């Protein structure tokens, strides 16, 4: 299953005066976006058509997207929780996620990319073909609705 939905309950570090806010917010995690049936089925892939259908469903149901950092602010009671809310996460920095970025941009949705930071500058030909490079990541970062985090490499 390419998009894994789960409830998240994060206890943020807040002052003793307030108890942390425990909430259930769906987090949809995506890896590879495929335009080819040869890549499917694969628990790490979702077809572009199915991805578009899922985003369309969220839009029609009135979901508000939150970034991971906004979710933390909700947990700290520094930001109100919109209803219904969802977090969209794209892991690893696969080049095919550029297709997802266009869909998200067209719908005005927020997303958080977790990039394996040693991949964008790799000299390995397979990694160069399959992972975004720094130029592509920087271009995505120009969209204020897209947030970026380190993944795997610290």
């Amino acid at each position: 299953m390419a998009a894994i939905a789960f409830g998240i309950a994060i206890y943020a570090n807040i002052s003793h005066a307030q108890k942390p806010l425990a909430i259930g917010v769906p987090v949809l995690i995506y890896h590879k976006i495929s335009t080819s049936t040869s890549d499917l089925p694969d628990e790490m892939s979702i077809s572009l058509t199915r991805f578009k259908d899922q985003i369309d469903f969220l839009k029609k149901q009135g979901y508000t997207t939150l970034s991971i950092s906004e979710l933390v602010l909700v947990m700290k009671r520094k930001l109100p929780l919109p209803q219904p809310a969802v977090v969209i996460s794209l892991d690893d920095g696969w080049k095919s996620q550029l297709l997802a970025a266009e869909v998200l941009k067209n719908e005005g949705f927020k997303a958080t990319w977790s990039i394996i930071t040693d991949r964008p500058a790799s000299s390995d030909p397979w990694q160069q073909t399959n992972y975004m490079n720094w130029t592509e990541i920087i271009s995505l970062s120009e969209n204020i609705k897209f947030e970026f985090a380190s993944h795997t490499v610290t």
Side-chain angles (χ1 to χ4, degrees):
M1 181 176 198
I4 303 167
F6 60 92
I8 187 167
I10 297 174
Y11 292 94
N13 293 327
I14 58 175
S15 71
H16 298 300
Q18 287 186 328
K19 292 183 179 181
L21 182 61
I23 58 172
V25 174
V27 176
L28 304 179
I29 303 171
Y30 297 94
H31 289 87
K32 298 178 199 172
I33 309 297
S34 176
T35 57
S36 166
T37 55
S38 66
D39 291 341
L40 300 173
D42 176 339
E43 70 251 6
M44 300 292 283
S45 299
I46 186 170
S47 72
L48 179 58
T49 300
R50 188 162 185 189
F51 179 78
K52 286 178 182 178
D53 289 346
Q54 290 179 2
I55 298 304
D56 187 51
F57 173 83
L58 294 171
K59 185 79 165 185
K60 286 180 181 173
Q61 295 300 312
Y63 277 86
T64 298
T65 51
L66 297 174
S67 66
I68 295 289
S69 62
E70 288 174 326
L71 181 60
V72 170
L73 291 174
V74 168
M75 302 302 300
K76 290 181 176 183
R77 300 177 191 257
K78 293 183 179 181
L79 189 68
L81 176 63
Q83 291 292 332
V86 65
V87 173
I88 297 173
S89 175
L90 295 111
D91 281 3
D92 303 336
W94 293 98
K95 194 175 285 280
S96 65
Q97 293 171 359
L98 295 169
L99 299 169
E102 283 303 309
V103 174
L104 295 166
K105 184 174 92 174
N106 290 341
E107 294 299 338
F109 274 16
K110 296 176 184 174
T112 300
W113 267 263
S114 296
I115 306 294
I116 301 174
T117 57
D118 68 349
R119 303 287 162 85
S122 174
S123 60
D124 179 278
W126 186 86
Q127 289 186 13
Q128 289 176 347
T129 301
N130 290 286
Y131 289 95
M132 287 187 271
N133 60 45
W134 285 119
T135 302
E136 291 162 327
I137 294 166
I138 290 167
S139 178
L140 282 179
S141 74
E142 293 171 2
N143 184 325
I144 61 170
K145 294 188 180 243
F146 296 165
E147 171 180 86
F148 294 84
S150 175
H151 182 43
T152 307
V153 179
T154 56

